[in-house]
PDB file of all heavy atoms in Angstrom:
ATOM      1  N   GLY A 120      -2.587   2.055  21.889  1.00 95.00           N
ATOM      2  CA  GLY A 120      -1.247   2.300  22.421  1.00 95.00           C
ATOM      3  C   GLY A 120      -0.166   2.448  21.385  1.00 95.00           C
ATOM      4  O   GLY A 120       1.014   2.608  21.743  1.00 95.00           O
ATOM      5  N   ALA A 121      -0.502   2.424  20.103  1.00 96.00           N
ATOM      6  CA  ALA A 121       0.511   2.625  19.068  1.00 96.00           C
ATOM      7  C   ALA A 121       1.025   4.062  19.125  1.00 96.00           C
ATOM      8  O   ALA A 121       0.317   4.976  19.561  1.00 96.00           O
ATOM      9  CB  ALA A 121      -0.064   2.323  17.690  1.00 96.00           C
ATOM     10  N   VAL A 122       2.258   4.251  18.677  1.00 93.00           N
ATOM     11  CA  VAL A 122       2.881   5.569  18.663  1.00 93.00           C
ATOM     12  C   VAL A 122       3.013   6.016  17.208  1.00 93.00           C
ATOM     13  O   VAL A 122       3.753   5.418  16.429  1.00 93.00           O
ATOM     14  CB  VAL A 122       4.269   5.545  19.334  1.00 93.00           C
ATOM     15  CG1 VAL A 122       4.876   6.945  19.334  1.00 93.00           C
ATOM     16  CG2 VAL A 122       4.172   4.987  20.744  1.00 93.00           C
ATOM     17  N   ILE A 123       2.278   7.045  16.825  1.00 95.00           N
ATOM     18  CA  ILE A 123       2.346   7.567  15.459  1.00 95.00           C
ATOM     19  C   ILE A 123       3.572   8.465  15.365  1.00 95.00           C
ATOM     20  O   ILE A 123       3.592   9.563  15.927  1.00 95.00           O
ATOM     21  CB  ILE A 123       1.072   8.348  15.090  1.00 95.00           C
ATOM     22  CG1 ILE A 123      -0.182   7.513  15.378  1.00 95.00           C
ATOM     23  CG2 ILE A 123       1.129   8.787  13.632  1.00 95.00           C
ATOM     24  CD1 ILE A 123      -0.219   6.167  14.674  1.00 95.00           C
ATOM     25  N   VAL A 124       4.610   7.988  14.684  1.00 92.00           N
ATOM     26  CA  VAL A 124       5.884   8.697  14.698  1.00 92.00           C
ATOM     27  C   VAL A 124       6.070   9.640  13.519  1.00 92.00           C
ATOM     28  O   VAL A 124       6.982  10.465  13.532  1.00 92.00           O
ATOM     29  CB  VAL A 124       7.076   7.717  14.783  1.00 92.00           C
ATOM     30  CG1 VAL A 124       7.033   6.927  16.068  1.00 92.00           C
ATOM     31  CG2 VAL A 124       7.113   6.787  13.573  1.00 92.00           C
ATOM     32  N   GLY A 125       5.241   9.539  12.476  1.00 92.00           N
ATOM     33  CA  GLY A 125       5.429  10.459  11.365  1.00 92.00           C
ATOM     34  C   GLY A 125       4.580  10.109  10.164  1.00 92.00           C
ATOM     35  O   GLY A 125       3.753   9.193  10.186  1.00 92.00           O
ATOM     36  N   LYS A 126       4.801  10.881   9.093  1.00 95.00           N
ATOM     37  CA  LYS A 126       4.110  10.729   7.824  1.00 95.00           C
ATOM     38  C   LYS A 126       5.115  10.337   6.744  1.00 95.00           C
ATOM     39  O   LYS A 126       6.253  10.820   6.720  1.00 95.00           O
ATOM     40  CB  LYS A 126       3.437  12.041   7.421  1.00 95.00           C
ATOM     41  CG  LYS A 126       2.324  12.519   8.351  1.00 95.00           C
ATOM     42  CD  LYS A 126       1.072  11.699   8.185  1.00 95.00           C
ATOM     43  CE  LYS A 126      -0.118  12.326   8.885  1.00 95.00           C
ATOM     44  NZ  LYS A 126      -0.673  13.485   8.165  1.00 95.00           N
ATOM     45  N   THR A 127       4.645   9.496   5.821  1.00 96.00           N
ATOM     46  CA  THR A 127       5.500   9.054   4.723  1.00 96.00           C
ATOM     47  C   THR A 127       5.116   9.730   3.417  1.00 96.00           C
ATOM     48  O   THR A 127       3.957  10.054   3.174  1.00 96.00           O
ATOM     49  CB  THR A 127       5.432   7.530   4.529  1.00 96.00           C
ATOM     50  OG1 THR A 127       4.068   7.147   4.260  1.00 96.00           O
ATOM     51  CG2 THR A 127       5.941   6.806   5.760  1.00 96.00           C
ATOM     52  N   ASN A 128       6.114   9.925   2.587  1.00 96.00           N
ATOM     53  CA  ASN A 128       5.891  10.496   1.262  1.00 96.00           C
ATOM     54  C   ASN A 128       5.052   9.546   0.420  1.00 96.00           C
ATOM     55  O   ASN A 128       4.964   8.345   0.695  1.00 96.00           O
ATOM     56  CB  ASN A 128       7.242  10.751   0.584  1.00 96.00           C
ATOM     57  CG  ASN A 128       7.122  11.683  -0.604  1.00 96.00           C
ATOM     58  OD1 ASN A 128       6.195  12.479  -0.714  1.00 96.00           O
ATOM     59  ND2 ASN A 128       8.076  11.602  -1.527  1.00 96.00           N
ATOM     60  N   LEU A 129       4.456  10.088  -0.631  1.00 97.00           N
ATOM     61  CA  LEU A 129       3.609   9.295  -1.511  1.00 97.00           C
ATOM     62  C   LEU A 129       3.709   9.855  -2.915  1.00 97.00           C
ATOM     63  O   LEU A 129       4.213  10.959  -3.135  1.00 97.00           O
ATOM     64  CB  LEU A 129       2.147   9.331  -1.042  1.00 97.00           C
ATOM     65  CG  LEU A 129       1.394  10.662  -1.166  1.00 97.00           C
ATOM     66  CD1 LEU A 129      -0.116  10.406  -1.172  1.00 97.00           C
ATOM     67  CD2 LEU A 129       1.729  11.624  -0.017  1.00 97.00           C
ATOM     68  N   SER A 130       3.235   9.091  -3.879  1.00 97.00           N
ATOM     69  CA  SER A 130       3.051   9.652  -5.206  1.00 97.00           C
ATOM     70  C   SER A 130       1.946  10.697  -5.090  1.00 97.00           C
ATOM     71  O   SER A 130       0.851  10.397  -4.612  1.00 97.00           O
ATOM     72  CB  SER A 130       2.627   8.564  -6.188  1.00 97.00           C
ATOM     73  OG  SER A 130       3.507   7.461  -6.136  1.00 97.00           O
ATOM     74  N   GLU A 131       2.218  11.913  -5.523  1.00 98.00           N
ATOM     75  CA  GLU A 131       1.308  13.025  -5.266  1.00 98.00           C
ATOM     76  C   GLU A 131      -0.124  12.715  -5.690  1.00 98.00           C
ATOM     77  O   GLU A 131      -0.366  12.152  -6.751  1.00 98.00           O
ATOM     78  CB  GLU A 131       1.806  14.274  -5.987  1.00 98.00           C
ATOM     79  CG  GLU A 131       0.977  15.495  -5.649  1.00 98.00           C
ATOM     80  CD  GLU A 131       1.585  16.779  -6.154  1.00 98.00           C
ATOM     81  OE1 GLU A 131       2.814  16.963  -6.050  1.00 98.00           O
ATOM     82  OE2 GLU A 131       0.814  17.620  -6.649  1.00 98.00           O
ATOM     83  N   TRP A 132      -1.058  13.105  -4.814  1.00 98.00           N
ATOM     84  CA  TRP A 132      -2.482  12.833  -5.015  1.00 98.00           C
ATOM     85  C   TRP A 132      -2.718  11.356  -5.294  1.00 98.00           C
ATOM     86  O   TRP A 132      -3.618  10.976  -6.034  1.00 98.00           O
ATOM     87  CB  TRP A 132      -3.074  13.692  -6.142  1.00 98.00           C
ATOM     88  CG  TRP A 132      -3.121  15.161  -5.862  1.00 98.00           C
ATOM     89  CD1 TRP A 132      -2.357  16.130  -6.452  1.00 98.00           C
ATOM     90  CD2 TRP A 132      -3.974  15.851  -4.939  1.00 98.00           C
ATOM     91  NE1 TRP A 132      -2.667  17.364  -5.945  1.00 98.00           N
ATOM     92  CE2 TRP A 132      -3.661  17.234  -5.027  1.00 98.00           C
ATOM     93  CE3 TRP A 132      -4.966  15.437  -4.052  1.00 98.00           C
ATOM     94  CZ2 TRP A 132      -4.301  18.197  -4.244  1.00 98.00           C
ATOM     95  CZ3 TRP A 132      -5.606  16.401  -3.270  1.00 98.00           C
ATOM     96  CH2 TRP A 132      -5.273  17.752  -3.379  1.00 98.00           C
ATOM     97  N   ALA A 133      -1.897  10.501  -4.684  1.00 98.00           N
ATOM     98  CA  ALA A 133      -2.038   9.046  -4.805  1.00 98.00           C
ATOM     99  C   ALA A 133      -1.992   8.577  -6.256  1.00 98.00           C
ATOM    100  O   ALA A 133      -2.663   7.631  -6.650  1.00 98.00           O
ATOM    101  CB  ALA A 133      -3.302   8.556  -4.105  1.00 98.00           C
ATOM    102  N   ASN A 134      -1.156   9.255  -7.057  1.00 97.00           N
ATOM    103  CA  ASN A 134      -0.867   8.838  -8.437  1.00 97.00           C
ATOM    104  C   ASN A 134      -2.039   9.024  -9.391  1.00 97.00           C
ATOM    105  O   ASN A 134      -2.097   8.371 -10.431  1.00 97.00           O
ATOM    106  CB  ASN A 134      -0.408   7.378  -8.498  1.00 97.00           C
ATOM    107  CG  ASN A 134       1.033   7.245  -8.966  1.00 97.00           C
ATOM    108  OD1 ASN A 134       1.672   8.232  -9.319  1.00 97.00           O
ATOM    109  ND2 ASN A 134       1.542   6.038  -8.967  1.00 97.00           N
ATOM    110  N   ILE A 135      -2.940   9.941  -9.086  1.00 98.00           N
ATOM    111  CA  ILE A 135      -4.130  10.114  -9.929  1.00 98.00           C
ATOM    112  C   ILE A 135      -4.112  11.449 -10.667  1.00 98.00           C
ATOM    113  O   ILE A 135      -5.054  11.771 -11.397  1.00 98.00           O
ATOM    114  CB  ILE A 135      -5.428   9.977  -9.082  1.00 98.00           C
ATOM    115  CG1 ILE A 135      -6.673   9.743  -9.965  1.00 98.00           C
ATOM    116  CG2 ILE A 135      -5.605  11.204  -8.169  1.00 98.00           C
ATOM    117  CD1 ILE A 135      -6.714   8.432 -10.670  1.00 98.00           C
ATOM    118  N   ARG A 136      -3.038  12.225 -10.559  1.00 98.00           N
ATOM    119  CA  ARG A 136      -3.036  13.557 -11.185  1.00 98.00           C
ATOM    120  C   ARG A 136      -2.720  13.513 -12.678  1.00 98.00           C
ATOM    121  O   ARG A 136      -3.291  14.256 -13.476  1.00 98.00           O
ATOM    122  CB  ARG A 136      -2.000  14.456 -10.490  1.00 98.00           C
ATOM    123  CG  ARG A 136      -2.197  15.938 -10.753  1.00 98.00           C
ATOM    124  CD  ARG A 136      -1.064  16.776 -10.184  1.00 98.00           C
ATOM    125  NE  ARG A 136       0.030  16.903 -11.133  1.00 98.00           N
ATOM    126  CZ  ARG A 136       1.185  17.508 -10.880  1.00 98.00           C
ATOM    127  NH1 ARG A 136       1.408  17.995  -9.663  1.00 98.00           N
ATOM    128  NH2 ARG A 136       2.126  17.601 -11.796  1.00 98.00           N
ATOM    129  N   SER A 137      -1.791  12.625 -13.066  1.00 97.00           N
ATOM    130  CA  SER A 137      -1.287  12.651 -14.439  1.00 97.00           C
ATOM    131  C   SER A 137      -1.024  11.248 -14.950  1.00 97.00           C
ATOM    132  O   SER A 137      -0.579  10.375 -14.198  1.00 97.00           O
ATOM    133  CB  SER A 137       0.012  13.470 -14.507  1.00 97.00           C
ATOM    134  OG  SER A 137       0.660  13.311 -15.750  1.00 97.00           O
ATOM    135  N   SER A 138      -1.261  11.027 -16.240  1.00 96.00           N
ATOM    136  CA  SER A 138      -0.922   9.743 -16.858  1.00 96.00           C
ATOM    137  C   SER A 138       0.583   9.587 -17.018  1.00 96.00           C
ATOM    138  O   SER A 138       1.065   8.491 -17.322  1.00 96.00           O
ATOM    139  CB  SER A 138      -1.611   9.613 -18.212  1.00 96.00           C
ATOM    140  OG  SER A 138      -1.289  10.709 -19.051  1.00 96.00           O
ATOM    141  N   ASP A 139       1.342  10.655 -16.811  1.00 94.00           N
ATOM    142  CA  ASP A 139       2.810  10.605 -16.899  1.00 94.00           C
ATOM    143  C   ASP A 139       3.474  10.728 -15.532  1.00 94.00           C
ATOM    144  O   ASP A 139       4.667  11.019 -15.442  1.00 94.00           O
ATOM    145  CB  ASP A 139       3.321  11.734 -17.804  1.00 94.00           C
ATOM    146  CG  ASP A 139       2.881  11.571 -19.240  1.00 94.00           C
ATOM    147  OD1 ASP A 139       2.896  10.426 -19.732  1.00 94.00           O
ATOM    148  OD2 ASP A 139       2.518  12.588 -19.876  1.00 94.00           O
ATOM    149  N   SER A 140       2.732  10.540 -14.460  1.00 93.00           N
ATOM    150  CA  SER A 140       3.288  10.732 -13.122  1.00 93.00           C
ATOM    151  C   SER A 140       4.419   9.752 -12.844  1.00 93.00           C
ATOM    152  O   SER A 140       4.510   8.684 -13.453  1.00 93.00           O
ATOM    153  CB  SER A 140       2.198  10.573 -12.067  1.00 93.00           C
ATOM    154  OG  SER A 140       1.704   9.254 -12.060  1.00 93.00           O
ATOM    155  N   ILE A 141       5.296  10.123 -11.926  1.00 94.00           N
ATOM    156  CA  ILE A 141       6.439   9.303 -11.535  1.00 94.00           C
ATOM    157  C   ILE A 141       6.176   8.777 -10.132  1.00 94.00           C
ATOM    158  O   ILE A 141       6.016   9.559  -9.186  1.00 94.00           O
ATOM    159  CB  ILE A 141       7.742  10.118 -11.582  1.00 94.00           C
ATOM    160  CG1 ILE A 141       7.987  10.630 -13.018  1.00 94.00           C
ATOM    161  CG2 ILE A 141       8.924   9.281 -11.089  1.00 94.00           C
ATOM    162  CD1 ILE A 141       9.135  11.605 -13.118  1.00 94.00           C
ATOM    163  N   SER A 142       6.129   7.464  -9.978  1.00 95.00           N
ATOM    164  CA  SER A 142       5.808   6.868  -8.682  1.00 95.00           C
ATOM    165  C   SER A 142       6.813   7.316  -7.624  1.00 95.00           C
ATOM    166  O   SER A 142       8.025   7.288  -7.838  1.00 95.00           O
ATOM    167  CB  SER A 142       5.815   5.345  -8.778  1.00 95.00           C
ATOM    168  OG  SER A 142       4.669   4.881  -9.439  1.00 95.00           O
ATOM    169  N   GLY A 143       6.285   7.706  -6.484  1.00 95.00           N
ATOM    170  CA  GLY A 143       7.134   8.107  -5.372  1.00 95.00           C
ATOM    171  C   GLY A 143       7.498   9.574  -5.361  1.00 95.00           C
ATOM    172  O   GLY A 143       8.165  10.025  -4.427  1.00 95.00           O
ATOM    173  N   TRP A 144       7.042  10.358  -6.360  1.00 96.00           N
ATOM    174  CA  TRP A 144       7.373  11.783  -6.387  1.00 96.00           C
ATOM    175  C   TRP A 144       6.185  12.614  -5.941  1.00 96.00           C
ATOM    176  O   TRP A 144       5.046  12.371  -6.340  1.00 96.00           O
ATOM    177  CB  TRP A 144       7.764  12.242  -7.791  1.00 96.00           C
ATOM    178  CG  TRP A 144       8.198  13.690  -7.824  1.00 96.00           C
ATOM    179  CD1 TRP A 144       9.446  14.181  -7.614  1.00 96.00           C
ATOM    180  CD2 TRP A 144       7.347  14.838  -8.045  1.00 96.00           C
ATOM    181  NE1 TRP A 144       9.447  15.555  -7.690  1.00 96.00           N
ATOM    182  CE2 TRP A 144       8.174  15.989  -7.955  1.00 96.00           C
ATOM    183  CE3 TRP A 144       5.987  14.988  -8.298  1.00 96.00           C
ATOM    184  CZ2 TRP A 144       7.673  17.278  -8.117  1.00 96.00           C
ATOM    185  CZ3 TRP A 144       5.474  16.281  -8.455  1.00 96.00           C
ATOM    186  CH2 TRP A 144       6.319  17.407  -8.367  1.00 96.00           C
ATOM    187  N   SER A 145       6.487  13.615  -5.125  1.00 97.00           N
ATOM    188  CA  SER A 145       5.493  14.635  -4.789  1.00 97.00           C
ATOM    189  C   SER A 145       6.202  15.969  -4.662  1.00 97.00           C
ATOM    190  O   SER A 145       7.398  16.038  -4.367  1.00 97.00           O
ATOM    191  CB  SER A 145       4.765  14.297  -3.481  1.00 97.00           C
ATOM    192  OG  SER A 145       5.595  14.532  -2.357  1.00 97.00           O
TER     193      SER A 145
END
Side-chain angles (χ1 to χ4, degrees):
V122 181
I123 308 303
V124 298
K126 296 286 192 76
T127 59
N128 196 24
L129 69 159
S130 308
E131 186 170 318
W132 294 110
N134 245 356
I135 197 68
R136 198 187 88 184
S137 169
S138 55
D139 295 320
S140 65
I141 299 172
S142 285
W144 184 88
S145 74

